[in-house]
Structures are given as structure tokens and as C-alpha cells.
């Protein structure tokens, strides 16, 4: 199936000759989560929830960033750019490097010197990006990125690029197209707050077009150790093992608050323990392996049900932003700590194995 | 979109009440590869190839194994099984653990003691499988798996389970549905040889149904260090860095030879160097990051063009079996060795960066 710009060309109002750079992103699985629903009913008393996980880890580079990057890079190509740049140690750098490679642009990825393990950059490296270690911290890297953009010779594809959020709206389109309606509540992790902004804009766009009647309540969840919006202040040293939302000064702060207020939703925080529990529960009961940060949406859903913020029998969607394979270390650590994985050491004999598992 | 059993229910002849266990697998991107086509034209003189990569790394657990596992586990559920077992250190164990978790079955993954790094099992662990280390090598683990199956209390989901290959046929259906025809040549990695068997059966099924007119030539490629079919002998100690096809005694050996002969195709081998070159070329020019073994298909295509085995202007499909994130170590090593990734260390100053990249 074609990528998001081809499929939603009319919605985006793109001309026929728009130069689309695509890896056939989007069109990701919307997976029913009956076990999470049963767990919520049992532990909180909220009954009859129809829950779907939007698994954006199935995108070509393994995260929702592909939706925005196809648009940002296509527009850069449209504008005649030869170079793109971002400051990122994770999903943004992977997506920028892939789409840049695909259309022959030079891709610069700025990172703070000595602070980033190369393992985190395996994707950007494979896609042939130029990794620029700079003397300075991440904020200084971002500042240099902006200055590079101001030269007019390099296109910035960090989230200040407005086409990123435009492209990310497509996830809301896909959800409504598949459900043939809008959800009652949409749960989503909040880091830089671009994605909650994008979904809200996407749902509104579909309402304007008459494709859906009602808008969902937007339910955003930050990690407690980096909950800038919840606490109402910039956090200088954000902390959480959910690295993809470890952000102390969200770029789309105001837009996220607007999405919350306009939708009568909430922005709240969840602890690392709650995120970790949701992360392993998704894998061990639903068979869905996501990035730790992704599980903030499901952790938030469980918390909201505990707080009786969710009506019985609601239609719920939860965004899972990234692929679990992005962070195997957290998988090994948490599945071990929580006793999810069981390990046995036995002789090569079928009876010994049957005995050990009680069959 | 629904998974493969729901979408192809009529093709598979499944009853309406068949208990489908699905993660909405399949429906993976078919990505045009114009840069590979241009490279082939320039280096071999074969012109006008229309090449598509079927990127099965976008499946829920990151490989084509999900297509077969949804069928094998659904059938196990249909038959009332409570336990499933496989011997695997890679993609099969991840898929078995995910689909087993989703329907509440106990999943046993047998591995040789002390031979497998836990990092390879991060997925199976997260999905809550029971990892059973046995005293013995991989062949002995497989033998125990068969004996466990013979007890009638545990369902084997290794490739001897016939529903695996049935499910994998769906990739051929999807290709034909999207192209609205069959390809002229289908290139595919060959390890255990189940996938080439499945594609060939799938194309034949679609021809019987009248959905396509012609059948493609099946072009299978083993890694040189484990090219049992090409050499015509079992290889006791198979060697290749493309671990997913490091198999010295393919389970579907005869079926693969039949697919080759019936389709007037070929089974040949490619060197680790050829695989590595195709692997980095796919990432750095097409923006597609696959497992090393996946790239054997594209390495094979390039070799076949060098040998003038491919006609000009042909329609070509190449299966990419798995997600590059399954093996970040190979990505870092090869992108470094081949100079794909460039690294700079610079002051936090835009002019210094512009100077360094010659802008």
C-alpha cells in the first residue's frame, strides 16, 4: 500500500506533481487489546472497554517519526534542498537518515560529544548519515541546528519543521478510517508533545471534512521524572528510562495544553514503574513489544481508569509510538526483574522438560 | 487492516468460526528500488528493471515468521492446545512467543546451553516465553522438540508444522494483489528453504484461482558458507554472518529444488561480502534497513544480472525477510568497515560544520 502522502493526497491538498519521498510508511496495525481490557475491569471496575493499540513501531524505521519525516523530506526536495540536519539520538535521527538517503540528500545528525552510545545510532549509521559530535550538550546541539537552518543552505527536520506534525496527523486519519468512527478517548505518550498536537489536529481535520462526527478526549501522559507540562515548569534534568519521552522542555507545550483543553481531556504523568508494568503487560499478554516510552499511553489508560476518568463501554485508542527492538536492554532488564521470562536449565530429555513444566 | 487469515479467509478456505490469533501481521510495504535498478544498469548493463522490495521486517515481531505463526498458533488453538514449543534462537522464537502470549498459551523455546547470547532472546523473554537451555547442541534441541510433539501434549511450531508454510504463502498473494500481476522473477534468501517453498505455492495457488496468469521464476540464494542445496550436501558447520540463513541441512530442501525446477529458476549462493554490500546499499541508497540475511535476495539479483540471467525491463520482487533492528551489531560493524557512516567531531559552531561538509 502507498505511503501516507499518496493515500491522503486530497486531505493534504497536494498537487499531482508533488515530489513524494516515501518508504510506504503508515498503514500500521490497529490491534485489539482484550487482555488489557480484562485487566482493567478486574483491577479498576471500569467495564466493557474496547481498546485498540495503534502500533506505529511497524513503520519502516520503527517509529511514528516516519509519518512526519516523509512530509518534511518531500517538502525539502520540493524546495530544492540538498542537505538536511537534526539534533537527535534516537527515532528522529533514524527517520531523517532513511528518508534523506532515499532521495540522495546529505543528512547531518548532531549529537553531544561523548554522551551517546553508538548502539543508539546504528540505524542512522547504516542509512549513511554524517554523525557530527559537537562540543556541548544537547541544547547547544539544537541551537547549532537552528543556526544551520538560518543559513538557508540546510533544511532543519527537527520538530520545529511544521511538516513533521502535518504528516503525523495521518495516524488519526488511519484510526478513523479503520474504526469507521472516532474513538471516545485517545491515550498517547507526551515527550516533545508534537504527537498529541498532531493527533488532535488530525481528528479536527477529519471532523471538518465530515468523515467523523465527534472528537475524542485527548489523554496525554508524561513520565513523572520529566513531567514539565504537568508540573508547569521546565525540567533541567529530566529523568526516566523511557528515553523517547525524556524531555524537560517540550517544543509543542502550548499546543498540547490546547489539545487537552479543547478536547476536555487531560495531561497527567505516570511513574517509571507504571510504564514498566504496562510495557511488559503489553508484550506478555497481548504479544505487542513496544519501546518503553510507548507504554506510557497504556499506563495512562490504567491510571485514568483507577481514577474513574473513563466511562464504561468506551472506545479507546492508545498510540504505541515505537518498536521494542529499539531498546533490547530494557526488555532484558524488565522481563527479568518482573519475572516475565522464565528460564530453565535441563537435560536434553523430553520427560525432564514435561516434568519441569508440570505436563 | 486485518491480519492475513482474515484477509485471505476465502483463499485458505477457513470456516467463519475459525479461531484466528492475529497481530494484524502482513500487509507489509512493497517498496520501489530505483537506486538498485540504476546501480545494476551501470554495473551489469541489464537495463530497465522495475524492482520492488517486499519488506517483511515491518511485521509485528519484525520478520516474515509472523505470517506462518499466526496460522500455526490459530490451528493449535483450534485443536485445543495449551502449550507450544520450538527450538530457535531467532525470529521463530520471537514469533512463537508473541502469538502464544496473545492467546494465553505456554511457550517453550529450547536453546543449546551456553551457546546463545541473551540479547538474541530479548523478544521471546519480553513475550513471557519459558526459555529452556538444554545440555546439547541445536540438532539435539530440535530432536527433543520432535519428541515433545510426539507426546501429543505440546504443539510443535518449528517449520515441520505445515501451517507455517501455508501462512507464508500470503506474502505472494499480497505482492500480486498490489502489483495486479505476478513478477517476472522473485528473488529470495534461502536458509531452511521454507519461504521459497511457500512463495512458490502461493503463486501457484493464485494462478489456479485465476488471479494471475503467469508464474515468476523463483531465484533463491543461500549464503556461500552454508550453501547445502547448491553444493548438494549437508554442511555440518555452516558459516555466515547472515545468521538467519546459517543452516546446513534445510528442512524444505526438496521443495526448494522443486520450486526452482518447476519455475525454470535457480538456487545459487552469494558470498558474505556480496550480502554485506547489498545490505549497506539497501540502507544507504534506498533507506531500507533489513537483517543481513534478507539482503541475500538483492545480492542474488545483482549476481544474476552480472551473469546475464535476467532479461531487460523485467518486473522483479525481492523478499527482505527481517528488520535490521534485529542485528544492530552487524549494522555498526559494516557501516563502519564500508565507510557508509561518516563521523566528525567539531566545535558547537555552524560555520565550522558548514566548512567541514563543504557548504
Amino acid at each position: 500500500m502507498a505511503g501516507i502522502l499518496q493515500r491522503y493526497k486530497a486531505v493534504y491538498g497536494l498537487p499531482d506533481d508533488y515530489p513524494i519521498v516515501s518508504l510506504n510508511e503508515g498503514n500500521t496495525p490497529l490491534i485489539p487489546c482484550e487482555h488489557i481490557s480484562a485487566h482493567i475491569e478486574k483491577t479498576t471496575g471500569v467495564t466493557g472497554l474496547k481498546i485498540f493499540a495503534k502500533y506505529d513501531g511497524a513503520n519502516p524505521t520503527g517509529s511514528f517519526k516516519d509519518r512526519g519525516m516523509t512530509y518534511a523530506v518531500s517538502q525539502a526536495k520540493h524546495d530544492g534542498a540538498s542537505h538536511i540536519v537534526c539534533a537527535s539520538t534516537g527515532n528522529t535521527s533514524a527517520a531523517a537518515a532513511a528518508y534523506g538517503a532515499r532521495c540522495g540528500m546529505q543528512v547531518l545528525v548532531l549529537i553531544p560529544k561523548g554522551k551517546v552510545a553508538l548502539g543508539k545510532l546504528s540505524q542512522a549509521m547504516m542509512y549513511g548519515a554524517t554523525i557530527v559530535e559537537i562540543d556541548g550538550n544537547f541544547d547547544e546541539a539544537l541551537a547549532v541546528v537552528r543556526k544551520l537552518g538560518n543559513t538557508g543552505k540546510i533544511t532543519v527536520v527537527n520538530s520545529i519543521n511544521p511538516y513533521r506534525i502535518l504528516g503525523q496527523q495521518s495516524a488519526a486519519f488511519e484510526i478513523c478510517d479503520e474504526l469507521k468512527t472516532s474513538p471516545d478517548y485517545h491515550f498517547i505518550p507526551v515527550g516533545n508533545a508534537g504527537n498529541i498536537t498532531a493527533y488532535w489536529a488530525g481528528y479536527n481535520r477529519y471532523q471538518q471534512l465530515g468523515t467523523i462526527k465527534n472528537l475524542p478526549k485527548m489523554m496525554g501522559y508524561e513520565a513523572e521524572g520529566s513531567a514539565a507540562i504537568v508540573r508547569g515548569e521546565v525540567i533541567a534534568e529530566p529523568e526516566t528510562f523511557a528515553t523517547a519521552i525524556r524531555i524537560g522542555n517540550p517544543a509543542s507545550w502550548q499546543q498540547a495544553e490546547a489539545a487537552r483543553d479543547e478536547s476536555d481531556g487531560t495531561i497527567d504523568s505516570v511513574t517509571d514503574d507504571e510504564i514498566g508494568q504496562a510495557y511488559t503487560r503489553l508484550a506478555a499478554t497481548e504479544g505487542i513489544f513496544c519501546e518503553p516510552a510507548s507504554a506510557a499511553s497504556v499506563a495512562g489508560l490504567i491510571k485514568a481508569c483507577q481514577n474513574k476518568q473513563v466511562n464504561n463501554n468506551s472506545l479507546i485508542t492508545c498510540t504505541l509510538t515505537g518498536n521494542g527492538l529499539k531498546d533490547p536492554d530494557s526488555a532484558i532488564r524488565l522481563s527479568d526483574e518482573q519475572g516475565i521470562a522464565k528460564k530453565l536449565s535441563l537435560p536434553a530429555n523430553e520427560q525432564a522438560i514435561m516434568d519441569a513444566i508440570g505436563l
Side-chain angles (χ1 to χ4, degrees), chain A:
Chain A
M1 194 178 279
I4 61 136
L5 293 182
Q6 186 62 42
R7 280 187 289 129
Y8 295 110
K9 210 166 189 175
V11 179
Y12 285 123
L14 294 173
D16 277 342
D17 62 350
Y18 190 76
I20 294 176
V21 181
S22 174
L23 287 160
N24 297 10
E25 60 292 317
N27 190 28
T28 52
L30 189 67
I31 309 177
C33 294
E34 294 176 7
H35 298 98
I36 303 285
S37 181
H39 169 74
I40 286 173
E41 181 158 340
K42 191 170 151 193
T43 56
T44 74
V46 177
T47 63
L49 296 186
K50 207 164 165 67
I51 303 168
F52 291 88
K54 180 66 171 167
Y55 182 52
D56 252 2
N59 272 301
T61 81
S63 88
F64 74 105
K65 303 278 182 174
D66 293 350
R67 296 178 182 278
M69 204 56 76
T70 182
Y71 210 158
V73 173
S74 296
Q75 186 64 31
K77 188 175 177 191
H78 175 269
D79 297 342
S82 59
H83 289 68
I84 60 176
V85 64
C86 66
S88 162
T89 60
N91 292 332
T92 298
S93 70
Y99 287 83
R102 188 149 175 83
C103 67
M105 288 184 193
Q106 294 295 309
V107 181
L108 303 185
V109 175
L110 266 61
I111 59 171
K113 192 171 191 166
K115 300 265 174 63
V116 182
L118 275 187
K120 287 275 166 200
L121 292 168
S122 65
Q123 287 183 280
M125 289 170 68
M126 267 297 277
Y127 295 128
T130 299
I131 313 292
V132 184
E133 285 195 321
I134 61 129
D135 290 321
N137 61 26
F138 191 78
D139 285 341
E140 290 167 298
L142 253 182
V144 175
V145 163
R146 285 172 193 264
K147 287 180 190 163
L148 286 167
N150 290 341
T151 66
K153 294 185 181 168
I154 305 189
T155 300
V156 178
V157 296
N158 271 110
S159 58
I160 55 170
N161 183 316
Y163 295 95
R164 291 273 308 278
I165 285 176
L166 270 174
Q168 287 170 210
Q169 292 184 15
S170 61
F173 304 158
E174 290 179 6
I175 286 171
C176 298
D177 288 345
E178 189 156 348
L179 296 177
K180 315 248 186 271
T181 182
S182 55
D184 299 314
Y185 302 83
H186 187 103
F187 288 80
I188 187 164
V190 173
N192 222 355
N195 215 21
I196 188 172
T197 303
Y199 271 89
W200 182 237
Y203 285 123
N204 274 277
R205 179 87 176 111
Y206 251 32
Q207 192 193 44
Q208 287 156 8
L209 291 171
T211 315
I212 57 172
K213 279 189 194 154
N214 303 312
L215 294 167
K217 292 185 198 299
M218 297 302 299
M219 312 291 278
Y221 289 83
E222 299 182 292
E224 190 176 68
S226 52
I229 299 173
V230 173
R231 286 164 54 178
E233 60 186 17
V234 171
I235 295 171
E237 307 258 339
E239 274 308 326
T240 171
F241 86 110
T243 51
I245 55 171
R246 190 165 64 200
I247 290 164
N249 189 11
S252 302
W253 188 317
Q254 262 123 38
Q255 297 93 315
E257 290 186 332
R260 173 194 64 193
D261 298 340
E262 291 166 25
S263 75
D264 194 21
T266 195
I267 293 179
D268 199 353
S269 65
V270 281
T271 65
D272 273 14
D273 186 55
E274 288 168 322
I275 295 171
Q277 294 286 341
Y279 168 64
T280 52
R281 182 174 299 282
L282 273 163
T285 72
E286 299 290 0
I288 305 172
F289 179 34
C290 61
E291 262 196 306
S294 304
S297 61
V298 172
L301 167 60
I302 293 169
K303 182 177 182 181
C305 290
Q306 287 164 347
N307 293 344
K308 306 295 180 200
Q309 290 174 277
V310 176
N311 293 329
N312 292 338
N313 305 313
S314 296
L315 178 60
I316 309 271
T317 46
C318 297
T319 296
L320 302 180
T321 43
N323 195 313
L325 289 168
K326 295 261 190 175
D327 185 359
D329 294 343
S330 288
I332 291 169
R333 182 173 64 82
L334 281 171
S335 64
D336 203 38
E337 279 178 17
Q338 298 185 16
I340 303 296
K342 292 157 279 289
K343 274 172 272 176
L344 301 171
S345 190
L346 294 169
N349 172 288
E350 68 277 17
Q351 195 55 52
I353 295 170
M354 301 282 279
D355 290 345
I357 61 172
L359 253 190

